[in-house]
Amino acid sequence: MGTQSATTPSDSAQFPILLDGVDESVETALAVGLVMPERSAIDATTRDLIGHLRVLMAEDLGFEVDSAVQALFQEGYRVLDLTRRPTAESTHFGAYQYMRELGLLTRRFADVYRQTQDKKDEADG
């Protein structure tokens, strides 16, 4: 999970977005516990979320006509910037915070994707 990355809307049509997998990764990232997850779990969830976010960002979500979607994409590019990502030298807490930020953003993209799909289904049906 999280290893396939679509680069254009036409490419992403070849790989259906599995929202259950997206939701599972987001829930893992945003789960509140008494103890922070192990660093390996944080890193794995972060990789999954990056993959999901890239695929969602390759979809046609109305970027050209919706300023809110444009702002969401700007946030996505900012969060995915390699200079912002945690490294092996990053603190455990820093990696945890990044994972949670990524989880929140991925959830917002998934919500926009769902709305877009609902609108397409209504237009088709």
Side-chain angles (χ1 to χ4, degrees):
M1 189 163 40
T3 58
Q4 185 63 37
S5 173
T7 56
T8 65
S10 62
D11 290 342
S12 65
Q14 297 173 12
F15 305 102
I17 294 178
L18 303 175
L19 288 173
D20 290 341
V22 174
D23 293 340
E24 181 181 323
S25 294
V26 168
E27 287 174 21
T28 299
L30 301 179
V32 176
L34 297 176
V35 179
M36 254 192 293
E38 295 291 323
R39 179 64 187 261
S40 60
I42 291 170
D43 293 343
T45 301
T46 297
R47 282 190 301 274
D48 288 345
L49 289 168
I50 287 170
H52 292 312
L53 185 56
R54 284 180 175 162
V55 170
L56 287 164
M57 289 178 72
E59 289 294 310
D60 179 9
L61 302 177
F63 179 86
E64 297 81 16
V65 296
D66 189 336
S67 61
V69 173
Q70 291 171 4
L72 189 60
F73 271 83
Q74 289 174 346
E75 180 69 9
Y77 293 128
R78 184 189 67 78
V79 169
L80 289 176
D81 180 10
L82 290 174
T83 62
R84 290 192 31 81
R85 291 188 197 175
T87 64
E89 292 79 31
S90 298
T91 65
H92 191 118
F93 185 73
Y96 177 74
Q97 285 295 95
Y98 180 78
M99 176 192 70
R100 291 187 54 80
E101 181 180 13
L102 195 56
L104 290 168
L105 184 61
T106 303
R107 178 194 292 165
R108 290 172 53 203
F109 267 93
D111 289 345
V112 172
Y113 177 78
R114 283 184 179 96
Q115 291 171 357
T116 303
Q117 292 305 302
D118 289 345
K119 288 178 185 175
K120 286 180 183 177
D121 290 345
E122 287 175 9
D124 292 342

